[in-house]
Amino acid sequence: MVRKINADTKVQYLKGVGPKRARLFNSVGIVTVEDLIYHFPRRYEDRSNLLPISRLQEGKMQTIRAHILSTRQRRSWRRRGFNIFEIIAGDSTGRISCVWFNQPYLKNYIKIGRDIILYGRVERYSGRLQMVSPEFEIVSDKDNAGSSSDIAGLTPIYKIPDGLTQRYFRRILRGCLEEYLPEVVDVLPYDIRVRNNLLNLAKSLLEIHFPPDMSHLKESYRRISFEEFFLFQIPLILKKLRKKQKQGISHKVDAILLEEFQGRLNFKLTPAQTRVIEEIKKDMSSSYPMSRLLQGDVGSGKTIVALFACLIAIRGGYQAAIMVPTELLARQHYYNSSLLLKDINIVLLVSSLAPSKKIRTYNEIKEGRAQLIIGTHALLEGRLNFKRLGLVVIDEEHKFGVSQRAFLPKRGSNPDVLIMTATPIPRTLAITLYGDLDISVIDEVPPGRKPVVTKFVTDEQRYDVYRFVESKIREGRQAYIIYPIIEESCSLDLRAANQMYLFLKDRVFPDCRVGLVHGQLNAKQQHGVMSEFKAGNIDILVATTVLEVGIDVPNASVMVIEHAERFGLSQLHQLRGRIGRGEFESYCILISQSDSEEARMRIEAMVEYSDGFCIAEEDLKIRGPGEFFGKRQHGLSELRIANPLTQLQLLKRARHEAKRLLRLDPNLEWRQNSALKRKLSERFPGYENYIAA
Ligand code: ADP
Ligand code: MG
């Protein structure tokens, strides 16, 4: 029986796979033919350079073509049950031995007298040249080892599970492409392809896996990236169009309100803050609901801007809600805003409230007596009802998922929404990636701030670090010492907050007041410790990443981060953002022993850059867009090869085309857009909701 395969065919039914191997495919997320075809190579190796054996260099990955002179199967005498398959291959210039371990079936493929192409690292073993587990391909009689071969030329290397070989994977994939591609329907309309010089889908899929040369590879790469950007832009643009058509609240914005607000502050707003406030005022007074992303580095003063927006809503008789990711931060905002907005009824809603208190708070919110509501995820609680929710502020948005961010605004009828982030990305990039939002940027920090001096040290210098901390305490400053874990464990060889707290308190800093805060303390305890620290009753605070977001204690001027390699780059930057908030010179000391390449890059970036935009850009480079954006923006994880950072021009083009298409065919009803429409529903279930009803 011959069945045609389609995108949804399970890989199990492909020739050469079967149920057992299918499970291996599944383990890397490949279930269907579509998954397989969109499992793009991790990299390519250029094996087009066939070398004579006499010219091989030790220690390098190289490719040869040789004749199989002998083969031998034996058991290892060192390790029982260990099978070694060895061959000697030669050309007119020399000989080399190759070994493979525990693959006894190789003897069925690799036979004396045939020609073989071998690719691997060349070593010298007992005086002889050797490759260990090289990739290989038998050259069949009709082959000339040239372009028809899988491994001479640009060879794709995939992320594959243990138990499959690259060669096998390539064979299955090639077979699958040959069967599938003739059936494939292009999702990009013809005119878009022509205008942008893009290959058709079938050709680009074939050549991204098996590129005949570099220029073909580039073209396929470009085409597939374009498609990814394009598919990702459409729902964003639809969403934005849809929002602008909705009826929101036209808040009344009093001209003197800002003056009054400024009067409450003991500092002057920066020009950037003033500019952003103007943008927000305009949005809030307009009839469509605001959806604005406010980007600004740690410490740039976003909170004040948000509070002003809240004041606008509240003066017009609406409620405003601020959602933050940690209870510690919620309490801090609650405390600070209570000082600033004495005439407004502010309530705190966090999960640790006593049940009776919680019910009272719910009632206050429901009846409208609560004007400003500050809380954590507790605000997402289903039982909570607002009387007249007019503004939603989401602080530290990167800590929330897309659906969490979308949930709170649904508690009102099209309230204005302000989303704040301290891991900013360049504006041009933001405009496209957050295509459904309008964007404001606070691009300066309040005057008088000095950049934090950041140093990287190794474990041996630990006591110098301690002495340095002590000297700063003597000058009247305070310090944080951060650990990646709370409790020591036998599986991780890491210093932990609990144990180090005791050690530091008793042995290293007997004359200082040392405190401890971490996520296993309950919220009240955490808040208690933080208040003591803020009041200056604690000199050194040993902590975990509970401190990461928001905490503001200007007198703290030193931060030591242990096992810095364990933290992500944005996380390090956020942590460092806790210091350098006052008038004092501040110091961040990163202690690390790790020799991992990535960790080193992160630490170097920290030492080199203090600006959050640069840090975010570095982070994006190190982690790649999928990881970096994670749950921040819907659809970004769908970008498999497209990289917004390196392909910004292409992204802009794709956005431009997507806009054009939606102008012409807003509901995607044209026949030529039907493949596109189908693809979108598959990729972004629910996107149709954005299509104008
Ligand atoms: P972030 O943008 O990281 O949320 P915050 O809003 O917490 O920053 O502000 C950091 C600190 O800077 C706070 O102590 C705040 O009171 C102070 N601040 C904000 N704006 C100004 C300003 N214009 N001048 C001086 N200090 C300011
Ligand atoms: Mg903040």
Side-chain angles (χ1 to χ4, degrees):
M1 184 187 70
V2 183
R3 266 194 315 179
K4 277 243 167 81
I5 63 170
N6 61 43
D8 300 324
T9 307
K10 299 264 186 294
V11 283
Q12 175 178 348
Y13 303 112
L14 293 174
K15 203 162 149 270
V17 181
K20 223 170 113 199
R21 287 199 177 115
R23 275 197 291 278
L24 293 176
F25 278 93
N26 296 170
S27 72
V28 287
I30 302 173
V31 179
T32 64
V33 161
E34 166 142 331
D35 297 335
L36 179 63
I37 286 175
Y38 282 84
H39 190 79
F40 297 129
R42 203 156 37 114
R43 62 195 166 89
Y44 302 83
E45 278 167 3
D46 187 357
R47 303 179 185 177
S48 47
N49 243 338
L50 292 180
L51 286 172
I53 292 176
S54 63
R55 294 205 11 229
L56 289 176
Q57 291 177 309
E58 281 169 53
K60 281 192 174 168
M61 303 292 285
Q62 288 153 103
T63 314
I64 57 169
R65 178 182 172 157
H67 196 66
I68 302 170
L69 302 171
S70 70
T71 71
R72 183 159 81 110
Q73 181 106 252
R74 61 186 163 91
R75 306 222 149 254
S76 166
W77 46 269
R78 280 200 206 137
R79 280 172 63 185
R80 274 164 54 125
F82 208 66
N83 174 293
I84 300 175
F85 181 67
E86 176 172 13
I87 68 166
I88 307 289
D91 63 12
S92 58
T93 71
R95 293 180 173 197
I96 188 167
S97 103
C98 301
V99 292
W100 290 266
F101 303 110
N102 284 337
Q103 299 182 55
Y105 50 86
L106 287 181
K107 67 174 186 294
N108 303 323
Y109 302 101
I110 303 181
K111 292 185 172 161
I112 293 182
R114 310 186 74 166
D115 274 5
I116 187 168
I117 293 177
L118 292 156
Y119 171 77
R121 186 181 307 284
V122 176
E123 291 157 1
R124 195 167 285 279
Y125 182 73
S126 321
R128 288 194 307 182
L129 287 178
Q130 188 177 59
M131 286 185 183
V132 176
S133 303
E135 283 191 40
F136 69 93
E137 185 171 347
I138 303 295
V139 184
S140 66
D141 297 335
K142 52 187 187 329
D143 258 0
N144 272 328
S147 60
S148 63
S149 160
D150 252 4
I151 71 170
L154 281 179
T155 302
I157 307 293
Y158 297 92
K159 182 169 181 284
I160 52 171
D162 290 341
L164 298 181
T165 66
Q166 293 286 342
R167 213 169 77 89
Y168 166 81
F169 194 86
R170 285 197 294 269
R171 182 160 63 79
I172 297 301
L173 190 51
R174 194 186 269 282
C176 175
L177 285 169
E178 274 165 15
E179 246 188 284
Y180 174 75
L181 291 184
E183 314 292 323
V184 78
V185 183
D186 209 318
V187 294
L188 287 183
Y190 181 71
D191 60 315
I192 293 187
R193 275 175 6 230
V194 172
R195 261 201 306 281
N196 297 282
N197 251 322
L198 298 168
L199 297 178
N200 72 40
L201 183 56
K203 188 168 160 68
S204 60
L205 282 174
L206 181 65
E207 295 190 344
I208 198 153
H209 287 289
F210 301 105
D213 58 42
M214 214 51 199
S215 74
H216 281 79
L217 175 59
K218 273 194 186 136
E219 284 306 306
S220 326
Y221 196 81
R222 184 167 166 275
R223 145 76 209 220
I224 292 172
S225 304
F226 183 96
E227 180 176 317
E228 288 187 349
F229 284 143
F230 184 75
L231 289 176
F232 156 69
Q233 283 296 316
I234 288 183
L236 291 183
I237 295 167
L238 282 171
K239 202 165 158 189
K240 187 165 191 171
L241 290 174
R242 180 73 192 281
K243 264 190 215 146
K244 296 266 145 110
Q245 291 160 352
K246 276 195 208 160
Q247 186 58 46
I249 304 161
S250 302
H251 292 278
K252 216 159 56 353
V253 185
D254 248 325
I256 55 159
L257 193 58
L258 183 56
E259 254 172 71
E260 181 215 313
F261 185 69
Q262 176 70 75
R264 297 174 184 232
L265 304 174
N266 52 12
F267 50 75
K268 207 168 156 316
L269 292 170
T270 63
Q273 284 171 320
T274 312
R275 189 187 64 236
V276 170
I277 283 177
E278 286 307 315
E279 290 165 352
I280 291 173
K281 268 162 66 178
K282 213 189 273 162
D283 267 355
M284 287 187 74
S285 56
S286 77
S287 67
Y288 60 82
M290 167 166 82
S291 303
R292 189 165 282 279
L293 176 70
L294 172 52
Q295 300 201 95
D297 205 349
V298 269
S300 61
K302 296 184 290 296
T303 317
I304 288 299
V305 171
L307 286 179
F308 178 68
C310 293
L311 197 59
I312 293 179
I314 292 165
R315 281 296 158 81
Y318 287 91
Q319 291 170 302
I322 304 180
M323 181 163 77
V324 302
T326 67
E327 186 155 338
L328 219 45
L329 186 53
R331 285 181 186 272
Q332 178 182 288
H333 277 352
Y334 176 70
Y335 176 80
N336 288 340
S337 54
S338 301
L339 293 181
L340 195 65
L341 307 172
K342 288 200 178 73
D343 46 338
I344 281 170
N345 184 26
I346 308 175
V347 299
L348 177 72
L349 187 58
V350 291
S351 47
S352 71
L353 293 184
S356 60
K357 170 85 180 163
K358 207 180 265 179
I359 288 171
R360 251 180 294 142
T361 307
Y362 280 160
N363 283 337
E364 275 189 80
I365 297 171
K366 189 167 97 191
E367 287 154 17
R369 273 175 292 136
Q371 296 169 291
L372 175 58
I373 301 100
I374 298 178
T376 55
H377 298 80
L379 288 171
L380 303 174
E381 172 73 48
R383 283 174 299 166
L384 179 62
N385 285 303
F386 292 87
K387 174 97 186 287
R388 270 186 109 200
L389 184 59
L391 172 71
V392 168
V393 177
I394 294 168
D395 195 10
E396 310 287 350
E397 58 89 29
H398 65 288
K399 292 279 168 184
F400 293 99
V402 181
S403 52
Q404 288 175 323
R405 283 182 344 225
F407 191 76
L408 190 52
K410 294 199 184 109
R411 290 345 228 342
S413 79
N414 298 331
D416 286 330
V417 178
L418 181 66
I419 296 172
M420 306 202 287
T421 181
T423 46
I425 55 173
R427 189 187 190 98
T428 40
L429 199 54
I431 287 171
T432 44
L433 295 188
Y434 297 90
D436 54 335
L437 305 172
D438 294 303
I439 292 168
S440 292
V441 184
I442 300 185
D443 49 9
E444 62 188 323
V445 291
R449 295 266 172 87
K450 296 187 193 130
V452 176
V453 178
T454 303
K455 287 263 189 294
F456 159 57
V457 304
T458 58
D459 218 41
E460 290 81 60
Q461 292 155 281
R462 148 176 324 274
Y463 281 88
D464 298 334
V465 174
Y466 292 154
R467 270 197 296 276
F468 178 75
V469 171
E470 205 175 354
S471 72
K472 288 293 151 189
I473 304 292
R474 247 185 262 123
E475 288 172 23
R477 302 287 78 73
Q478 289 164 285
Y480 300 104
I481 304 184
I482 311 288
Y483 293 89
I485 53 174
I486 299 173
E487 195 66 48
E488 275 178 10
S489 86
C490 27
S491 56
L492 289 169
D493 185 18
L494 295 176
R495 289 168 204 274
N498 271 339
Q499 284 75 20
M500 287 305 286
Y501 163 67
L502 295 175
F503 174 72
L504 293 170
K505 178 167 76 85
D506 297 337
R507 302 288 178 78
V508 185
F509 303 108
D511 303 330
C512 300
R513 295 160 300 177
V514 183
L516 172 68
V517 66
H518 57 66
Q520 271 171 15
L521 299 181
N522 70 36
K524 274 227 181 64
Q525 292 168 323
Q526 286 182 25
H527 186 62
V529 177
M530 283 317 297
S531 307
E532 288 293 295
F533 187 67
K534 191 154 191 162
N537 299 329
I538 292 175
D539 301 311
I540 300 174
L541 187 57
V542 174
T544 58
T545 53
V546 284
L547 285 189
E548 184 184 338
V549 289
I551 299 305
D552 187 34
V553 181
N555 190 49
S557 70
V558 183
M559 174 174 282
V560 179
I561 304 179
E562 291 243 39
H563 298 292
E565 75 279 358
R566 306 283 299 183
F567 300 91
L569 184 50
S570 310
Q571 209 173 18
L572 288 172
H573 181 65
Q574 289 282 331
L575 282 168
R576 179 172 61 182
R578 300 310 117 222
I579 56 174
R581 294 181 156 245
E583 71 226 68
F584 315 105
E585 189 84 65
S586 294
Y587 305 87
C588 177
I589 299 155
L590 306 168
I591 305 183
S592 174
Q593 292 294 71
S594 164
D595 42 16
S596 115
E597 168 83 9
E598 258 203 54
R600 221 199 55 235
M601 284 164 75
R602 289 198 294 265
I603 291 172
E604 270 172 17
M606 281 294 290
V607 173
E608 184 155 352
Y609 302 109
S610 55
D611 177 83
F613 284 89
C614 299
I615 293 277
E617 208 165 315
E618 285 303 305
D619 200 17
L620 192 51
K621 272 187 214 153
I622 297 172
R623 285 199 286 162
E627 276 261 334
F628 178 84
F629 292 105
K631 57 186 182 173
R632 298 174 73 175
Q633 181 63 284
H634 191 61
L636 267 170
S637 53
E638 292 288 329
L639 300 183
R640 301 179 203 220
I641 59 170
N643 184 339
L645 198 64
T646 54
Q647 297 175 292
L648 186 58
Q649 285 314 316
L650 194 69
L651 170 56
K652 283 185 181 163
R653 268 184 112 120
R655 180 171 171 82
H656 174 77
E657 286 292 355
K659 272 185 171 165
R660 180 188 163 118
L661 179 120
L662 291 170
R663 212 165 35 237
L664 296 169
D665 182 15
N667 296 326
L668 300 178
E669 286 161 342
W670 294 0
R671 212 163 61 89
Q672 74 215 56
N673 294 333
S674 60
L676 174 63
K677 190 168 181 170
R678 214 173 320 117
K679 188 74 164 190
L680 284 167
S681 340
E682 265 169 48
R683 283 266 178 104
F684 307 103
Y687 94 97
E688 298 93 341
N689 299 339
Y690 306 133
I691 291 184

